[in-house]
Amino acid sequence: MTELRTERLTLRPWREADLAPWAAMNADPEVREFLGEPLTRERADASVAVFQAEFAARGYGWWAVEVTATGEFIGFAGLDDVEDWAPFTGVEIGWRLARWAWGHGYATEAARAVLAFGFETLGLAEILAVTTATNTRSRAVMTRLGMTRDPADDFDDLDFPEGPLRPNVVYRLRKP
């Protein structure tokens, strides 16, 4: 598994020691505000097993993210294939950080490294980002990355009942 480094962060393979902080952040209702209900420890652990298997099979996926200076786990960032049910295809970038790590520019910094990997190493022509229409923090990161939104791409995520989690927006960035 490729490791990515930025000025302050290391995007690396998952470790056993990441499971407890990953579960804790996914049990936080604020972290899960735009993702659905908080995860149990079992579901959080199972998600990491899926991340590891997908990365091994494809050569890309979700990296664990840590602050290099301290070695502290802060969340994940990476690339994933767009779900089969989505009204578009492609590879999607994403990130999720522990609440205490918000507001430090970590999501943008990690995402820039992921974009570089996607364009330079994988040779992708375009990378997408998807979030709920009300997730202003993630949308701000997408804008900082130079991604653009075409409202014609917006869609409803039918996995969620009517409400604020259903309307989704799609941002795109073409290879520079």
Side-chain angles (χ1 to χ4, degrees):
M1 179 177 187
T2 304
E3 192 172 275
L4 306 178
R5 290 190 178 269
T6 70
E7 184 178 326
R8 302 178 296 162
L9 304 173
T10 302
L11 286 71
R12 57 162 175 77
W14 290 80
R15 300 178 185 146
E16 186 73 27
D18 300 330
L19 295 178
W22 171 252
M25 70 177 266
N26 280 287
D28 182 337
E30 280 190 73
V31 170
R32 300 285 308 173
E33 178 180 3
F34 302 105
L35 301 167
E37 65 186 40
L39 298 183
T40 63
R41 173 65 191 256
E42 294 74 25
R43 286 185 62 204
D45 287 355
S47 69
V48 171
V50 170
F51 301 159
Q52 292 170 316
E54 289 177 341
F55 212 114
R58 298 185 302 215
Y60 63 90
W62 303 113
W63 284 272
V65 179
E66 70 178 35
V67 176
T68 305
T70 64
E72 191 165 16
F73 172 87
I74 62 169
F76 85 170
L79 298 166
D80 197 14
D81 294 334
V82 170
E83 298 287 338
D84 291 338
W85 56 262
F88 48 85
T89 59
V91 175
E92 175 184 359
I93 189 172
W95 48 83
R96 187 177 319 154
L97 301 179
R99 189 167 16 118
W100 62 265
W102 296 354
H104 300 282
Y106 293 145
T108 303
E109 187 173 329
R112 283 193 175 118
V114 171
L115 286 171
F117 177 83
F119 290 135
E120 296 166 16
T121 303
L122 299 179
L124 298 173
E126 178 181 67
I127 296 175
L128 311 172
V130 179
T131 192
T132 60
T134 55
N135 188 345
T136 57
R137 287 187 304 270
S138 277
R139 291 180 67 177
V141 171
M142 294 168 192
T143 300
R144 279 192 294 278
L145 295 171
M147 302 184 96
T148 57
R149 173 182 168 233
D150 179 349
D153 290 334
D154 295 354
F155 68 100
D156 284 344
D157 185 341
L158 300 179
D159 284 345
F160 292 101
E162 284 292 333
L165 298 183
R166 186 174 270 191
N168 277 241
V169 294
V170 179
Y171 284 70
R172 297 173 182 274
L173 183 64
R174 290 210 158 284
K175 183 176 184 171

